[in-house]
Amino acid sequence: MNIAVSPSAEGASARAQVQWGRRWESELGLTDHAELSEFFRKSYGPTGAFNAQPFQGSRSWAGARPELRVIGHDARGVAAHLGLLRRFIKVGGVDLLVAELGLYAVRPDLEGLGISHAMRVMYPILQDLGVPFGFGTVRSALEKHMTRLVERQGLATLMHGIRVRSTQPDVYPNLSPTRIEDVVVVVFPVGSSISEWPAGTVIDRNGPEL
């Protein structure tokens, strides 16, 4: 789950000014992509220059391209973003339909507009799509952040000791076309209970990370 976290905490007045909307990918025009790519460069840049590199020009995605986006706007433009892509992954060899969630970011000048708020906007959409689970992965460094924002609020379950295989977003002559990472898996039960998540210590995305 590509995620950029604002370092500070947001007040209620700023949160109230953010208006959320749902956009299918085919509804976005060139101006939308340019605005989003600038937003991602500014949001991901403070976490490291490498993290902002995919968003050069008017590219508004990093790996896999989302099919649906929840976008928050305020008077200054894009304030927050969360992307969704339905796909089949393999969990311990079992094919499973999920809505992968990623491309989460909040504009750096906002404080505390957490992923839990974005998920409350996204959750009814997941239910409308009829998927059994929302799915994402985060690096270990963000485990405490995600525990506070989604697990303690009952929105998701964090899973450890799982390796995730993904393809590279592009093919490079000096790199393997796939990569395997030890990450924290985040599962959002939607149409199924968490007890129905298949057992397994390896997940294959069969594609690039969102």
Side-chain angles (χ1 to χ4, degrees):
M1 178 187 292
N2 287 299
I3 177 171
V5 180
S6 177
S8 44
E10 153 86 327
S13 60
R15 283 198 300 270
Q17 295 171 8
V18 175
Q19 301 296 316
W20 295 86
R22 172 174 63 179
R23 301 289 300 275
W24 291 97
E25 194 70 1
S26 60
E27 296 174 344
L28 297 176
L30 289 174
T31 302
D32 298 310
H33 285 292
E35 183 182 32
L36 287 168
S37 65
E38 181 182 10
F39 161 75
F40 283 125
R41 287 195 300 272
K42 291 180 178 179
S43 299
Y44 283 83
T47 69
F50 178 80
N51 296 326
Q53 284 181 3
F55 306 106
Q56 298 305 309
S58 296
R59 179 178 166 128
S60 65
W61 61 95
R65 188 167 174 174
E67 62 175 315
L68 185 146
R69 303 169 187 252
V70 165
I71 306 172
H73 284 87
D74 64 7
R76 296 186 57 187
V78 178
H81 180 282
L82 180 64
L84 176 152
L85 174 65
R86 285 172 290 184
R87 70 195 318 170
F88 278 93
I89 62 175
K90 281 187 179 294
V91 184
V94 177
D95 283 321
L96 182 66
L97 173 65
V98 298
E100 180 164 358
L101 302 172
L103 278 180
Y104 170 72
V106 173
R107 202 174 62 224
D109 63 284
L110 292 175
E111 303 173 352
L113 190 66
I115 192 172
S116 59
H117 191 83
M119 274 306 302
R120 285 188 167 83
V121 179
M122 179 67 83
Y123 204 83
I125 299 173
L126 295 174
Q127 292 176 315
D128 289 344
L129 293 176
V131 295
F133 300 102
F135 159 80
T137 61
V138 297
R139 290 11 174 198
S140 298
L142 292 172
E143 179 180 354
K144 291 183 179 179
H145 179 79
M146 295 299 291
T147 297
R148 176 173 59 85
L149 290 181
V150 295
E151 188 170 47
R152 289 180 184 171
Q153 299 193 39
L155 294 174
T157 296
L158 273 58
M159 300 180 178
H160 310 82
I162 298 175
R163 293 181 299 156
V164 178
R165 180 187 296 114
S166 308
T167 63
Q168 301 284 1
D170 299 294
V171 177
Y172 304 96
N174 58 334
L175 291 177
S176 169
T178 61
R179 68 170 189 252
I180 298 178
E181 299 175 288
D182 292 312
V183 290
V184 178
V185 173
V186 186
V187 177
F188 300 85
V190 183
S192 299
S193 69
I194 194 64
S195 63
E196 298 177 76
W197 182 266
T201 58
V202 176
I203 293 176
D204 200 328
R205 265 196 179 94
N206 286 313
E209 179 182 6
L210 179 60

